[in-house]
Amino acid sequence: MSGAECSPKNLTLSLTIPAITVQDATPLEGDNIRDLTVRKEEEDDGCETDSEDNSIEQDEEIRTKNEPMGDPKVLVTVTDEHSSSVLPDYADEDEYNRETDTSSCTKAKFDSSVFESDAAAKATPMSDRNNAIPAEYQAAEDEWEAVETITPGTGGDVPVIVGSLILYEEVLSHFQSTNLTEYIKDIKTSVQRTALGKLKHYLFGPPKLASELHEERNFVFTLGLCPFDNSCSIHCKILQTVYRQLTGNKFDCPRYGSHWEQIGFQGNDPVTDLRGMGMLALLPALNFLTDNKTLPLAREIYRLSLHETQNFPFFVMSINITRIALQAMREGCLNRECNKRKQVLPILNIFYVGLFYYLFQIWKQQHKTIRDSGFVIKGMY
């Protein structure tokens, strides 16, 4: 073997997971490294092939020609023990570079398409994207947003629904069209007086109510005997409306629950507080809370009822005030104004608001507390 031509020794690097083994070889003395090429070793025709071994050995051989000495010739073999595949074989360096450039270009195109898709989604108007959302998903999202504003209660499994507020005029029309004759025989439109009391009332008392207003007066008293009906949607809407008007909630609350105590009822079922006054206990309050002129005053009184030291049950107080107003009508104290305006129920509502305002002023200015409620109410008779 001459100094110019020699058989290079092979340096084999075996890559396994997780270890990498490098076998070094020193070039023969006098060899010169000229270029680095990668070629696949051809199998000898006389070698037997193992039928059970499906893996392909790949050798990368380094030939050296006419290059300065000092750099070893290296043959790198990469083997993955967890995979039967081997690294691709390239005929020359140019083919390897072309393949690398193609892969990089493909990745760049993929990244570009993802970026463009994301940019297009961001550039799409929100209204168009909402239109693309399926109806059931949009409904679920709306329901979730709604839940965030619902005041929690202990209503059990009673569903919370979104309903519209009911107007006082709608409720009044409902009761005027309802047959309440069964309660007529039980109403008491005047107080029992002794003979001397009747004489005194006749000489110094208020005028008699005009005969044309007797029917409306009787209607008011029958409302005081009409019980709450859970099966009537109008009755239920009245409760929901007064609750939402006081608390500012946008959604209906459960029919039963401790949330009713928030607006001044005494338990989980507000109907238990209505038994003494029937549906009349709710009508003046509904008018108070749905009239834009009186609603600010109602909410101011409600805020005082939640005061840390001056708190009081708003609706219990409201029912007591309604009872005082009805008693004043029974005694004829409102007859003069009813005859003047030729109305009965509207006068009762105005008197109710006046009484509530009077209580509000006394309670706020004199720093009354719940312990003073009995004296304050007694002073209003």
Side-chain angles (χ1 to χ4, degrees):
M1 180 181 299
S2 63
E5 298 180 358
C6 62
S7 298
K9 289 185 178 181
N10 293 338
L11 174 63
T12 301
L13 180 133
S14 298
L15 176 62
T16 61
I17 297 177
I20 299 178
T21 304
V22 180
Q23 297 177 353
D24 194 4
T26 304
L28 292 178
E29 203 173 310
D31 287 351
N32 297 322
I33 300 176
R34 181 172 180 175
D35 57 3
L36 177 65
T37 62
V38 180
R39 66 181 180 81
K40 182 180 181 182
E41 293 182 353
E42 298 180 355
E43 296 181 354
D44 295 334
D45 295 336
C47 295
E48 294 182 359
T49 304
D50 188 354
S51 59
E52 295 181 357
D53 186 7
N54 294 327
S55 64
I56 302 174
E57 283 191 9
Q58 181 180 9
D59 295 330
E60 298 180 32
E61 186 174 352
I62 303 173
R63 293 184 305 173
T64 59
K65 292 182 180 180
N66 302 325
E67 290 291 340
M69 295 179 60
D71 293 335
K73 300 185 292 295
V74 179
L75 178 64
V76 180
T77 301
V78 181
T79 304
D80 187 351
E81 66 181 5
H82 298 285
S83 174
S84 60
S85 60
V86 296
L87 296 178
D89 181 39
Y90 302 100
D92 52 27
E93 186 176 357
D94 292 338
E95 182 179 351
Y96 171 78
N97 292 335
R98 286 195 301 272
E99 183 69 19
T100 304
D101 293 343
T102 302
S103 299
S104 300
C105 183
T106 302
K107 183 179 184 300
K109 289 181 179 180
F110 174 78
D111 294 340
S112 176
S113 64
V114 171
F115 175 79
E116 291 175 358
S117 175
D118 185 56
K122 292 180 179 179
T124 304
M126 184 61 68
S127 59
D128 295 341
R129 278 186 278 175
N130 289 341
N131 293 335
I133 299 176
E136 57 269 22
Y137 293 113
Q138 187 63 45
E141 182 179 355
D142 294 342
E143 183 179 356
W144 175 255
E145 293 178 356
V147 168
E148 296 181 356
T149 61
I150 294 176
T151 301
T154 57
D157 297 330
V158 179
V160 178
I161 60 175
V162 180
S164 59
L165 297 177
I166 193 168
L167 299 177
Y168 172 79
E169 291 75 15
E170 184 180 353
V171 174
L172 183 60
S173 176
H174 164 75
F175 284 116
Q176 287 174 341
S177 61
T178 302
N179 185 7
L180 301 175
T181 55
E182 60 178 305
Y183 307 112
I184 291 292
K185 64 181 184 301
D186 297 324
I187 65 175
K188 296 179 181 180
T189 61
S190 61
V191 296
Q192 296 295 328
R193 294 183 176 92
T194 63
L196 183 60
K198 289 181 180 179
L199 179 60
K200 182 179 178 180
H201 184 268
Y202 175 78
L203 295 175
F204 307 104
K208 291 184 177 181
L209 185 67
S211 58
E212 61 268 21
L213 298 178
H214 286 186
E215 183 178 355
E216 185 178 357
R217 178 199 61 187
N218 295 343
F219 170 72
V220 171
F221 282 97
T222 55
L223 288 176
L225 299 177
C226 178
F228 185 93
D229 184 3
N230 276 312
S231 63
C232 179
S233 61
I234 299 294
H235 291 198
C236 295
K237 281 186 176 182
I238 296 174
L239 280 179
Q240 297 293 345
T241 298
V242 297
Y243 178 83
R244 288 169 58 179
Q245 287 293 88
L246 281 176
T247 61
N249 279 22
K250 296 181 180 179
F251 302 93
D252 290 349
C253 60
R255 171 64 181 81
Y256 303 96
S258 59
H259 52 276
W260 293 112
E261 297 177 15
Q262 182 183 355
I263 62 172
F265 287 104
Q266 298 183 90
N268 293 343
D269 184 6
V271 174
T272 58
D273 294 328
L274 306 180
R275 291 173 183 170
M277 291 294 297
M279 292 306 297
L280 187 63
L282 293 176
L283 251 65
L286 178 67
N287 178 71
F288 191 28
L289 293 168
T290 55
D291 189 337
N292 292 331
K293 296 179 181 179
T294 57
L295 179 59
L297 173 61
R299 287 180 172 170
E300 190 174 355
I301 297 173
Y302 176 66
R303 284 193 294 270
L304 179 62
S305 73
L306 301 177
H307 192 272
E308 183 178 356
T309 58
Q310 292 186 267
N311 60 84
F312 59 88
F314 180 91
F315 245 97
V316 170
M317 194 69 73
S318 171
I319 295 172
N320 281 311
I321 291 175
T322 304
R323 183 179 287 107
I324 294 173
L326 191 63
Q327 182 63 22
M329 178 172 289
R330 183 178 286 116
E331 293 179 359
C333 299
L334 304 181
N335 289 352
R336 190 182 304 276
E337 195 65 26
C338 290
N339 292 339
K340 180 180 178 180
R341 301 197 183 189
K342 301 186 184 320
Q343 295 175 320
V344 177
L345 185 56
I347 300 303
L348 179 71
N349 292 333
I350 294 173
F351 189 59
Y352 164 90
V353 174
L355 288 174
F356 224 146
Y357 179 72
Y358 173 79
L359 179 140
F360 170 67
Q361 291 295 326
I362 296 295
W363 204 275
K364 183 176 181 180
Q365 294 175 4
Q366 299 183 14
H367 304 284
K368 299 296 184 180
T369 64
I370 191 64
R371 292 178 296 180
D372 304 315
S373 59
F375 301 101
V376 174
I377 292 175
K378 185 177 180 180
M380 296 170 65
Y381 275 95

